[in-house]
Amino acid sequence: TPANVVAYTAAITGCEYAGEWKQAFLLLERMRKEGIHPNEMTMGAVIGACATACAQEDRETDDTGMPKAQMKALQLLNVLKKDPTVVNPNIQIYNAAIRVCAEAKDVPGAFRVLEEIKDAGIERTEITYGSLMTACERVGCIESASKVFRMMKEDGIEPNEIIYGAAISCCRKAREPERAVLLLKKMVKEELSPNAACLNTVLIAQTDARRRSDSERVLQVFKLMKSRLIKENGRPNRQTYNILINFFAATLQPATAEAFLDKMREEGFKPDVDLFTATVSAYERKQQPLKALKLMQRMQDDGYDFYSVKVLNEAFKKAVKLVNAVGQSFATSQDQEKEISLELMDSDDSIGGVSL
């Protein structure tokens, strides 16, 4: 049975998923030779294959440095615009072209395609602006992201979770943690449902700089994740606790890191040995050997052998040496434990009033 437009389109769609843009164009050429007319879905899939190739960082470029996949996609779009009798480009084809520019990290190119959509009198959609926001996210361009929000408002289109998520990721790449929090608060105010991936991106934005002064914002985001304002798909997951524990350990707040280790276990997640290592190392750097030893004992309760971890083994030896130097045994008395607890309460190394 000879192939028809449906069969060819299905084959080209497979190329789209795989990023095989050259094969997609070969199939399109074969259709032409066999007298089979492509439709909008066919052309959208060919351009989509170019977008996937750009996302996979296809290294082939032309003399100007433009990815060849992007160049071929835009050339095809221009052909369709000049001769709409072949296939009149619709919003799906234009959206695919914006996605090509987005994955090629060509923000001006993405905005040019948007202007072409307007000139053609075609109504924009959430997908149009979602692809445009992705272009901004890929390069961390806050100004362009703000422009997308303004243009959406002019078109009367409300941003959805995907668009906000891309904008938040853009803030993270631009090292604008406060803006990431503001966008999250706006999402919640508009009764949207950020998922755990989006919320974790906000957390990462707050923790990237590894500044102790950012601790309050970090805890605010965690409290929001635990609140009734966030649905089940936005609850803290394993990655959430990994982010928190690594941050508080890196900023020398090991008691807070250990509190999140406890919370992580309560939630049914077994902490990786790296999280224990980071927290023990923080106690060591804070000159709190008894706390380090106690945590390593808890590691054994979880089935970890800290002797097999070089960093922990060294930390154990140093902690024992330091404890012996001040005349304290591994089995600390209750009074001594109380003094240690009071010392920690007097320090800034606390959970900041957050009830875990």
Side-chain angles (χ1 to χ4, degrees), residues 2-294:
N4 57 23
V5 65
V6 175
Y8 268 113
T9 300
I12 292 172
T13 300
C15 295
E16 178 182 10
Y17 293 144
E20 297 288 347
W21 65 274
K22 292 180 181 179
Q23 184 62 32
F25 275 99
L26 286 173
L27 289 170
L28 186 62
E29 177 61 18
R30 189 182 299 175
M31 290 180 72
R32 186 188 68 79
K33 289 180 178 179
E34 294 180 6
I36 299 173
H37 296 287
N39 57 26
E40 290 87 349
M41 289 182 63
T42 312
M43 294 301 188
V46 173
I47 295 175
C50 297
T52 306
C54 290
Q56 295 170 348
E57 298 188 352
D58 189 302
R59 299 299 180 186
E60 285 192 72
T61 59
D62 64 9
D63 294 337
T64 66
M66 176 183 286
K68 283 190 177 180
Q70 181 189 11
M71 178 192 69
K72 291 290 288 184
L74 296 181
Q75 285 178 347
L76 177 58
L77 178 61
N78 285 331
V79 168
L80 299 181
K81 286 164 56 183
K82 290 176 181 177
D83 186 8
T85 59
V86 179
V87 169
N88 191 18
N90 61 8
I91 190 60
Q92 284 76 29
I93 292 174
Y94 276 112
N95 287 346
I98 291 178
R99 190 163 72 88
V100 170
C101 295
E103 299 300 355
K105 300 179 182 178
D106 180 6
V107 176
F111 277 96
R112 283 195 295 271
V113 175
L114 181 69
E115 289 305 316
E116 291 175 14
I117 296 173
K118 290 182 177 181
D119 292 343
I122 298 174
E123 187 175 343
R124 281 72 66 196
T125 66
E126 283 183 345
I127 295 174
T128 309
Y129 286 109
S131 298
L132 196 59
M133 187 64 82
T134 296
C136 306
E137 185 274 339
R138 292 292 187 263
V139 298
C141 185
I142 291 290
E143 293 77 12
S144 295
S146 298
K147 184 178 178 181
V148 174
F149 280 123
R150 290 195 299 271
M151 296 174 85
M152 292 186 72
K153 188 173 182 180
E154 291 170 2
D155 274 352
I157 298 175
E158 295 293 330
N160 58 18
E161 286 90 347
I162 295 172
I163 292 170
Y164 269 116
I168 286 171
S169 181
C170 181
C171 293
R172 185 227 163 170
K173 289 184 176 181
R175 297 191 179 279
E176 294 278 0
E178 295 89 348
R179 288 198 185 194
V181 172
L182 288 174
L183 284 174
L184 177 61
K185 289 180 178 178
K186 193 171 181 182
M187 284 185 76
V188 174
K189 185 177 180 181
E190 293 176 7
E191 298 184 350
L192 295 174
S193 302
N195 59 22
C198 177
L199 287 154
N200 284 338
T201 301
V202 177
L203 266 182
I204 294 171
Q206 312 313 305
T207 62
D208 271 341
R210 290 291 194 261
R211 292 189 302 253
R212 190 180 178 117
S213 58
D214 293 330
S215 300
E216 185 177 348
R217 279 203 313 272
V218 171
L219 292 171
Q220 284 177 351
V221 176
F222 176 74
K223 286 198 292 184
L224 179 61
M225 293 179 78
K226 297 285 290 181
S227 74
R228 289 176 294 178
L229 296 171
I230 301 299
K231 293 183 179 179
E232 191 63 32
N233 67 340
R235 298 297 182 187
N237 58 17
R238 176 177 290 277
Q239 186 191 8
T240 307
Y241 289 109
N242 287 347
I243 296 165
L244 291 165
I245 294 164
N246 280 314
F247 169 74
F248 285 108
T251 54
L252 295 185
Q253 301 177 76
T256 310
E258 187 174 354
F260 278 113
L261 276 170
D262 290 340
K263 185 62 180 173
M264 185 178 188
R265 293 158 80 189
E266 288 173 14
E267 296 290 335
F269 303 112
K270 183 179 179 180
D272 293 331
V273 68
D274 290 348
L275 299 179
F276 281 107
T277 303
T279 308
V280 167
S281 297
Y283 273 129
E284 182 190 358
R285 284 180 289 157
K286 287 272 289 185
Q287 297 294 303
Q288 295 175 342
L290 291 172
K291 286 287 186 179
L293 291 171
K294 186 177 178 182

Side-chain angles (χ1 to χ4, degrees), residues 289-291 293-294 323 328-340:
L290 291 172
K291 286 287 186 179
L293 291 171
K294 186 177 178 182
V323 169
Q328 293 172 309
S329 64
F330 182 78
T332 313
S333 68
Q334 290 183 352
D335 288 342
Q336 288 169 321
E337 288 286 355
K338 188 179 295 184
E339 288 174 8
I340 294 166

